[in-house]
Amino acid sequence: MSCHSIVRIGPLNSNDGCYTALLRSSITNYFTTSSSSNEDDDDDAEKNGLHRVVISNRHFDASVVFAGLNESTNVITPSESTVEDGIILVFDSSPSASQDMCFDSLNKLHESAEKSNDLGDLLRLCVGVCFGPSPLADGTKASEEEYSRRVLWCLDRGYEYVEADMSPMGMESGHNDRDKEGFARIIEAVSSCMWSSRVMKKRAAVATTKAAAAAANTGNENATANADTTTSSNPKSDAEREKSAVASLMQGVDQDNESRNKTDEIKQQEMAFHELERVIADAKNIRESSQNDSMSDEERRKRAGDTALRMMELFDKLGFGDDEEDSDETETSSLPDGVELE
């Protein structure tokens, strides 16, 4: 039985200025383009109609459906299961936003969503949509205060606040940055989320097996070549035979060490995944404690910061963002230990 992760996104109605619909279609189009190598075009069309995408990285594959807040998922066949994994709230961040689409309208929307759905906690985003630079980027004191108000509201309810420039240029920029913002950050969050529908890949184990087989074949070929050379040439001296035997033994030792190192790497990745699940559970407990007023703001912020640092360290161990780190290696090599570029 296949499983699909459900992400609720809203509001979806005739008065939303198509902002939510635009964001949803932009997300699904991004991942559909990335996975354009699917073999069955008809199956792709069906998934696109359901706003369903396949999230694929070197560790796992996951099927994710982006559905409206009150949208039914009965279109999924009885042989398939679904898990509520997250929610994305969308609002108009422009100063001229209507009362129904401004940031303050999310209070009622969040409360209604919490009551009507068993919403997941794996991905929670609050996205302010604009077309161009953020209206809060003018550097005024009023804008800074409004930005802080929005971020605190999101922290209290378990959301990550993102301001997304949905212009064509805004959606294309920032994907190669180390610290992503806007639409690029949304894509990164969706890509790196540990979805409940994930199916872990066996590529690392297969690569280890293939490497061992290739090494064995190489050893056999070398042994055969050495035998042929010995037969067709003059008898070797004792020193030459000893040197050849030592070289053959060392080759086998090197192959065993390489296979053992790859096996240890796989075990370390599995341990990192288990630790990441514990971090996600800690984040959920922090959010519940905040809602129950059983934790002070200072303690909540400290624990939330510690949890975020733990999660970033685990992402580094799992290899997320390796491409960006490789591109920064030259810049950071001359800095003292513990100093990072901002």
Side-chain angles (χ1 to χ4, degrees):
M1 175 182 292
S2 59
C3 179
H4 307 280
S5 295
I6 305 297
V7 177
R8 300 291 176 177
I9 183 169
L12 281 171
N13 54 60
S14 58
N15 298 323
D16 67 355
C18 297
Y19 288 168
T20 304
L22 172 62
L23 180 61
R24 178 167 70 169
S25 62
S26 298
I27 295 173
T28 55
N29 287 340
Y30 180 91
F31 288 104
T32 300
T33 302
S34 301
S35 60
S36 58
S37 59
N38 289 337
E39 298 180 357
D40 195 336
D41 292 337
D42 294 336
D43 186 59
D44 287 344
E46 179 183 357
K47 290 179 180 179
N48 292 338
L50 296 175
H51 301 286
R52 185 193 309 175
V53 298
V54 175
I55 309 300
S56 181
N57 54 46
R58 66 180 183 177
H59 298 291
F60 61 82
D61 293 324
S63 175
V64 181
V65 177
F66 293 88
L69 292 177
N70 298 314
E71 185 177 349
S72 172
T73 56
N74 292 334
V75 290
I76 297 177
T77 62
S79 62
E80 301 173 316
S81 62
T82 61
V83 180
E84 296 284 346
D85 269 351
I87 178 174
I88 301 177
L89 297 182
V90 184
F91 70 96
D92 181 1
S93 65
S94 66
S96 59
S98 64
Q99 185 175 359
D100 294 335
M101 276 304 297
C102 66
F103 177 77
D104 290 333
S105 67
L106 299 183
N107 281 301
K108 184 177 180 181
L109 191 65
H110 168 76
E111 293 174 0
S112 176
E114 287 274 315
K115 294 177 181 179
S116 61
N117 294 293
D118 183 16
L119 300 178
D121 291 326
L122 296 185
L123 179 72
R124 289 202 167 194
L125 300 178
C126 178
V127 181
V129 173
C130 59
F131 295 90
S134 169
L136 301 182
D138 55 9
T140 63
K141 182 177 180 181
S143 295
E144 293 178 357
E145 292 177 350
E146 175 62 17
Y147 180 83
S148 299
R149 184 177 74 92
R150 294 179 181 182
V151 171
L152 289 176
W153 184 92
C154 291
L155 286 174
D156 289 340
R157 292 158 182 80
Y159 292 90
E160 176 185 349
Y161 180 68
V162 181
E163 292 183 341
D165 177 5
M166 297 303 294
S167 66
M169 181 178 297
M171 288 191 291
E172 292 176 0
S173 63
H175 292 278
N176 294 325
D177 294 345
R178 182 173 185 178
D179 296 324
K180 298 176 177 56
E181 298 179 351
F183 183 72
R185 170 54 195 155
I186 297 173
I187 295 300
E188 181 185 49
V190 174
S191 301
S192 59
C193 181
M194 297 296 294
W195 301 106
S196 299
S197 62
R198 68 185 183 275
V199 177
M200 303 304 298
K201 292 182 178 179
K202 303 298 183 182
R203 292 169 60 183
V206 172
T208 301
T209 303
K210 289 183 177 180
N217 290 335
T218 302
N220 292 336
E221 292 175 358
N222 291 338
T224 303
N226 291 336
D228 293 341
T229 302
T230 302
T231 303
S232 60
S233 62
N234 294 328
K236 295 182 178 180
S237 65
D238 292 342
E240 290 175 339
R241 286 197 297 269
E242 181 179 355
K243 182 178 180 180
S244 177
V246 170
S248 179
L249 289 174
M250 291 304 299
Q251 182 179 10
V253 171
D254 292 340
Q255 293 170 359
D256 291 341
N257 289 337
E258 181 180 358
S259 177
R260 188 179 300 108
N261 291 337
K262 291 182 178 179
T263 301
D264 292 341
E265 181 180 354
I266 296 173
K267 292 181 179 179
Q268 292 176 359
Q269 289 180 351
E270 292 177 351
M271 292 176 62
F273 275 118
H274 291 310
E275 177 64 19
L276 184 57
E277 291 178 351
R278 288 195 291 268
V279 172
I280 292 173
D282 290 343
K284 181 178 179 181
N285 292 335
I286 294 173
R287 189 179 73 85
E288 292 177 351
S289 298
S290 177
Q291 292 177 335
N292 297 333
D293 294 329
S294 59
M295 181 187 303
S296 65
D297 289 345
E298 182 178 356
E299 182 181 1
R300 171 179 56 76
R301 291 191 181 93
K302 181 180 183 303
R303 292 186 59 185
D306 294 341
T307 302
L309 289 176
R310 290 171 58 196
M311 186 170 295
M312 291 301 298
E313 292 175 355
L314 288 172
F315 282 159
D316 290 339
K317 290 182 180 180
L318 294 173
F320 292 119
D322 281 350
D323 295 339
E324 293 83 353
E325 291 176 0
D326 292 341
S327 66
D328 293 339
E329 182 177 355
T330 303
E331 297 181 10
T332 59
S333 60
S334 62
L335 295 175
D337 292 340
V339 178
E340 297 182 355
L341 291 175
E342 296 182 354

